[in-house]
Amino acid sequence: MAPRRAVRLSLKKPSYAVCAVGVETHLDVHSDVPEGAENFGVSGSSGVKIFMVYDPARVTEPTGRAHWPLDANVDVVISVDAASKALNDLKVKISYFGQPAGGVLGRSVLYLTGADISLDADTGRTGKVKRSQGDKKRWSWGPEGYGAILMVNCDRDSLRATEMDLTNSQLTSLDDLQDMSPVVLTCDAPDELFDSYKLVLNVPLSDSKRMRIFCARGGNSLLDYEQVLGPQHLEYDVARQPGEREIRFYVEGLSFPDADFLGLVSLSVSLVDTKTLPEVPLFTDTVAFRVAPWIMTPNTQRPLELYVCSVLDPHGSNEKFLNDMSDLARRANCKLMVCPRVENRNDRWIQDEMEFGYTEAPHKAFPVVFDSPRNRGLKDFPYKRILGPDFGYVTREIQFTGVSGLDSFGNLDVSPPVTVEGKEYPLGRILIGSCLPKSVGRRMAKVVRDFLGAQQVQAPVEVYSDWLSVGHVDEFLSFVPTSDQKGFRLLLASPSACLKLFQEKREEGYGEAAQFDGLDHQVKRSINEMLADRRLRNDNLHAQRCIDWNREVLKRELGLTERDIVDIPQLFSLKGAYAEAFFPDMVNMVVLGKHLGIPKPFGPIVNGRCCLEEEVRSLLEPLGLRCVFIDDYLSYHKLLGEIHCGTNVRRQPFPFKWWHVEP
């Protein structure tokens, strides 16, 4: 907790020192020694602990009335275990001797004042501040880990405020204290000590822009909480009041981990001797914090809120779709949140605009919306309508290059918890759509990829989505929860499964059954026509190769086997070099627990039923899932999106604590 300090003693006059409780102080017993002295003895007050430090190979511990030899490497170390009641109320005496039978040649006397100075936070991760006996400067991961945690104060607790709480140097709501990590400064010592010593709280320059510290003075007024450290404020002389033994502080994080910030910050207090010039720190106690990461939630987590936009198109509104979403949400016991046209400006792609996650400390957790850099009609919705009390906000802007379609968050997903070759990912792994490795193509912006990787707890995996026109991962994959031991399945769009199904139906005599049956505004294609269409077949051979490449990456990076994957029949068609869904993309579904809102494919009718729907039911319903096929054709599919693109779900956080992860 403090560098080694040696107090020099004198034969001519008493020496005086301040000893911090629990901190070892070395005594220099060799610099001022009487002539002829060969041995020494040590005694002290009952409140002083005395330790002799020596090499047993060179020195024999004295017995009886024998004394310690001066010519050997014997060090005297003292400590106190409680604060003094008065100045200099403790004493240590060093007596020097000549020959063993000789008398005392001289004495040195040291008067001590014990000061209990300690800076404590929730280093044990229990949700409570407790006095720590461990190394508070250390921070470690894992179930047996140790170290304090700090949340980014990125919500807006005051309804009168217009900015995030972290932008304010003055507290705007007492509720805001719950989002901060409490720190207790113990400062128990005789009041007279602080006539010549002071307590100084400080943060390193690099950390000052990452954290802000408020000092609490016990009242219920906002003015009773003063910012003392933070941006442009590196040091604070603590205003200790007479008789004050504890001072409470509250610490907030100002930024999430990122490429230029590992997430670790520290706060220190020093007891400084003001009688010297320059002033000298006598003792320093430091607490390290890790800023809590932003965490995504997979489809396997319980849905809490379903978001969807009300829009108007030339063919009419999407009211029927909204009603279908309302029914689905009701089945899943999930709250429906409709973003009106006045707020979305007819931008329906709410999945592309934002991603819901959360942040957590042992004493508090709240959801945090990650606002994508796409900035279209919905650009103000996350900040103006979702940011609020106990609902945080974070974003990353692209500074110098333009925004691509891959920067939208339909191109962002996260797996359920997985284990890969013995390595556990208890919070899953983030999936980002990208181009092929070492190729020149579209990628999600580096500023977003860096942010996601810096959170450390959901190690991202880049998959290949640049083969698609829109270029999003949700066009060819999804995860669904299951009640078996695995707990989930990966769904992959599969052209080969679709062509195989159509081939089977043709062999059963249904070759004239038509795709897009039931749609008045779309040219129908019979099974025979589709199977005979060489261009369509070649397009889907290409799409299948792209999906197969991803299949192997996902098996390797998520530790999956073929039993964990379900192939969902789907066809694609190329428009230039990029693929688009030939009929509504069923993998692009919204998952609300066991209830799946799946784009209605309008497949060939066999025995009065859509053969594509029946195939998907046969694949998913034995897993305990409920398939609800919803018409999104005009309002979403024709605009190159589907149900997942046009919805967003806030989910229950993981019960697993992120600090138990071992990255």
Side-chain angles (χ1 to χ4, degrees):
M1 294 200 308
R4 171 171 171 162
R5 184 172 71 96
V7 176
R8 184 168 181 174
L9 305 181
S10 171
L11 293 169
K12 298 176 182 178
K13 60 181 180 180
S15 302
Y16 299 87
V18 176
C19 216
V21 170
V23 177
E24 294 182 347
T25 299
H26 291 251
L27 302 187
D28 180 358
V29 299
H30 297 92
S31 294
D32 193 2
V33 178
E35 186 175 350
E38 297 181 5
N39 304 286
F40 71 97
V42 187
S43 62
S45 305
S46 59
V48 180
K49 295 180 179 179
I50 300 173
F51 309 94
M52 309 304 293
V53 180
Y54 60 94
D55 182 358
R58 297 178 56 192
V59 178
T60 301
E61 183 176 352
T63 59
R65 302 186 65 179
H67 304 294
W68 294 92
L70 270 172
D71 60 352
N73 189 19
V74 178
D75 290 326
V76 180
V77 178
I78 62 171
S79 69
V80 298
D81 54 14
S84 291
K85 302 299 182 184
L87 277 179
N88 308 317
D89 63 353
L90 301 172
K91 184 168 70 171
V92 175
K93 184 170 63 175
I94 308 294
S95 301
Y96 295 94
F97 304 90
Q99 294 300 322
V104 176
L105 299 180
R107 289 189 176 93
S108 296
V109 177
L110 172 66
Y111 289 99
L112 293 170
T113 302
D116 190 3
I117 310 296
S118 182
L119 196 62
D120 291 287
D122 179 19
T123 51
R125 302 170 187 169
T126 64
K128 303 288 184 182
V129 177
K130 295 181 181 178
R131 187 70 177 259
S132 173
Q133 302 303 317
D135 183 1
K136 292 176 278 191
K137 292 185 291 186
R138 179 178 62 87
W139 203 100
S140 59
W141 296 89
E144 305 302 320
Y146 178 88
I149 291 167
L150 200 59
M151 286 201 303
V152 177
N153 195 8
C154 58
D155 68 340
R156 183 172 58 202
D157 284 313
S158 173
L159 298 178
R160 297 188 301 274
T162 58
E163 305 288 337
M164 287 184 285
D165 291 338
L166 59 80
T167 64
N168 299 313
S169 59
Q170 176 63 50
L171 211 63
T172 59
S173 167
L174 292 177
D175 292 337
D176 202 21
L177 296 174
Q178 303 303 313
D179 303 335
M180 303 184 192
S181 294
V183 172
V184 175
L185 170 60
T186 302
C187 49
D188 188 7
D191 290 339
E192 295 81 6
L193 178 71
F194 295 97
D195 294 337
S196 3
Y197 291 85
K198 66 180 180 179
L199 292 166
V200 179
L201 208 65
N202 63 80
V203 295
L205 175 62
S206 60
D207 295 350
S208 64
K209 62 183 179 180
R210 312 291 187 186
M211 61 195 299
R212 183 181 284 115
I213 295 91
F214 292 88
C215 181
R217 281 308 183 185
N220 292 321
S221 166
L222 295 176
L223 297 178
D224 291 321
Y225 297 86
E226 173 194 5
Q227 179 197 332
V228 295
L229 293 174
Q232 288 81 51
H233 297 83
L234 306 182
E235 193 171 281
Y236 167 64
D237 289 356
V238 178
R240 179 188 180 274
Q241 302 300 316
E244 197 167 26
R245 291 187 172 90
E246 283 188 354
I247 302 174
R248 202 165 183 86
F249 296 88
Y250 290 87
V251 188
E252 65 178 357
L254 302 182
S255 57
F256 284 98
D258 213 326
D260 61 348
F261 175 43
L262 294 177
L264 287 173
V265 294
S266 65
L267 174 65
S268 299
V269 67
S270 298
L271 181 64
V272 177
D273 186 349
T274 60
K275 302 187 303 297
T276 61
L277 287 176
E279 297 176 343
V280 176
L282 184 71
F283 162 77
T284 298
D285 199 13
T286 300
V287 178
F289 297 84
R290 182 174 290 280
V291 176
W294 179 79
I295 302 170
M296 286 181 68
T297 50
N299 286 349
T300 48
Q301 292 302 110
R302 183 170 70 86
L304 301 176
E305 294 174 336
L306 172 64
Y307 286 74
V308 65
C309 292
S310 172
V311 295
L312 186 64
D313 292 314
H315 61 79
S317 75
N318 67 336
E319 182 178 1
K320 174 64 168 60
F321 181 81
L322 296 180
N323 290 336
D324 290 339
M325 288 296 106
S326 178
D327 290 342
L328 188 69
R330 186 168 56 252
R331 295 185 194 192
N333 194 26
C334 177
K335 186 177 180 181
L336 180 68
M337 310 289 287
V338 178
C339 175
R341 287 192 294 274
V342 68
E343 293 178 5
N344 65 50
R345 290 176 285 189
N346 230 42
D347 179 4
R348 71 205 68 208
W349 309 117
I350 197 165
Q351 177 62 52
D352 288 343
E353 182 58 39
M354 62 190 189
E355 184 68 47
F356 287 113
Y358 69 96
T359 190
E360 183 177 24
H363 70 282
K364 179 75 180 283
F366 58 73
V368 179
V369 62
F370 187 9
D371 190 359
S372 82
R374 72 188 280 269
N375 291 342
R376 298 186 191 175
L378 278 160
K379 67 178 183 178
D380 296 327
F381 180 72
Y383 192 84
K384 289 186 175 181
R385 292 301 178 189
I386 295 182
L387 170 64
D390 285 343
F391 211 129
Y393 173 92
V394 66
T395 191
R396 288 295 180 269
E397 296 292 341
I398 300 172
Q399 298 295 331
F400 305 112
T401 59
V403 177
S404 84
L406 272 67
D407 297 319
S408 298
F409 286 171
N411 194 34
L412 185 62
D413 207 337
V414 63
S415 79
V418 293
T419 300
V420 185
E421 295 183 349
K423 168 69 173 174
E424 294 183 353
Y425 298 91
L427 301 175
R429 300 190 71 178
I430 288 173
L431 304 179
I432 301 169
S434 188
C435 56
L436 286 171
K438 300 181 181 179
S439 69
V440 178
R442 296 173 297 171
R443 295 184 76 185
M444 183 175 282
K446 186 176 185 298
V447 67
V448 179
R449 288 185 282 116
D450 285 348
F451 173 82
L452 295 170
Q455 307 314 302
Q456 295 196 66
V457 295
Q458 295 178 302
V461 177
E462 290 194 49
V463 296
Y464 177 37
S465 66
D466 192 31
W467 61 279
L468 291 152
S469 180
V470 175
H472 293 177
V473 295
D474 65 357
E475 297 177 79
F476 67 89
L477 68 82
S478 185
F479 295 94
V480 293
T482 60
S483 56
D484 57 9
Q485 184 176 2
K486 185 68 180 180
F488 72 92
R489 294 292 187 277
L490 167 65
L491 308 187
L492 288 179
S494 176
S496 61
C498 189
L499 292 172
K500 181 174 182 252
L501 176 66
F502 285 173
Q503 182 70 36
E504 290 172 355
K505 297 307 172 187
R506 182 172 70 176
E507 291 172 359
E508 293 170 6
Y510 299 104
E512 293 305 314
Q515 181 67 42
F516 307 119
D517 199 353
L519 287 173
D520 297 332
H521 33 70
Q522 177 65 43
V523 175
K524 297 172 180 54
R525 300 287 302 275
S526 71
I527 289 176
N528 288 334
E529 290 172 336
M530 290 186 289
L531 291 176
D533 187 334
R534 182 173 296 179
R535 179 175 178 179
L536 183 63
R537 181 175 289 274
N538 287 337
D539 289 353
N540 281 281
L541 288 174
H542 168 73
Q544 188 63 60
R545 283 193 295 269
C546 296
I547 294 169
D548 286 345
W549 191 92
N550 284 304
R551 188 188 201 93
E552 295 308 310
V553 170
L554 292 164
K555 285 164 64 177
R556 181 177 69 249
E557 299 295 337
L558 300 183
L560 304 180
T561 67
E562 284 297 323
R563 294 190 301 274
D564 305 322
I565 302 173
V566 178
D567 291 309
I568 302 299
Q570 184 64 47
L571 293 183
F572 295 87
S573 61
L574 289 181
K575 298 294 188 289
Y578 299 105
E580 298 173 2
F582 181 67
F583 54 78
D585 188 349
M586 292 185 286
V587 162
N588 195 291
M589 63 180 70
V590 64
V591 179
L592 302 180
K594 66 181 181 181
H595 301 279
L596 312 180
I598 305 174
K600 186 175 179 61
F602 294 97
I605 303 300
V606 174
N607 294 326
R609 294 178 179 272
C610 169
C611 67
L612 289 171
E613 291 185 19
E614 290 301 292
E615 179 70 8
V616 171
R617 289 186 197 278
S618 72
L619 293 169
L620 300 182
E621 292 192 345
L623 299 173
L625 300 166
R626 300 290 179 265
C627 301
V628 180
F629 292 91
I630 296 170
D631 181 1
D632 74 343
Y633 195 86
L634 290 179
S635 295
Y636 295 89
H637 172 73
K638 292 295 286 183
L639 301 175
L640 302 185
E642 308 287 357
I643 292 176
H644 186 262
C645 308
T647 58
N648 211 314
V649 182
R650 183 171 76 86
R651 300 182 183 277
Q652 184 78 28
F654 284 101
F656 184 91
K657 304 306 180 186
W658 64 263
W659 49 89
H660 290 167
V661 170
E662 299 185 50

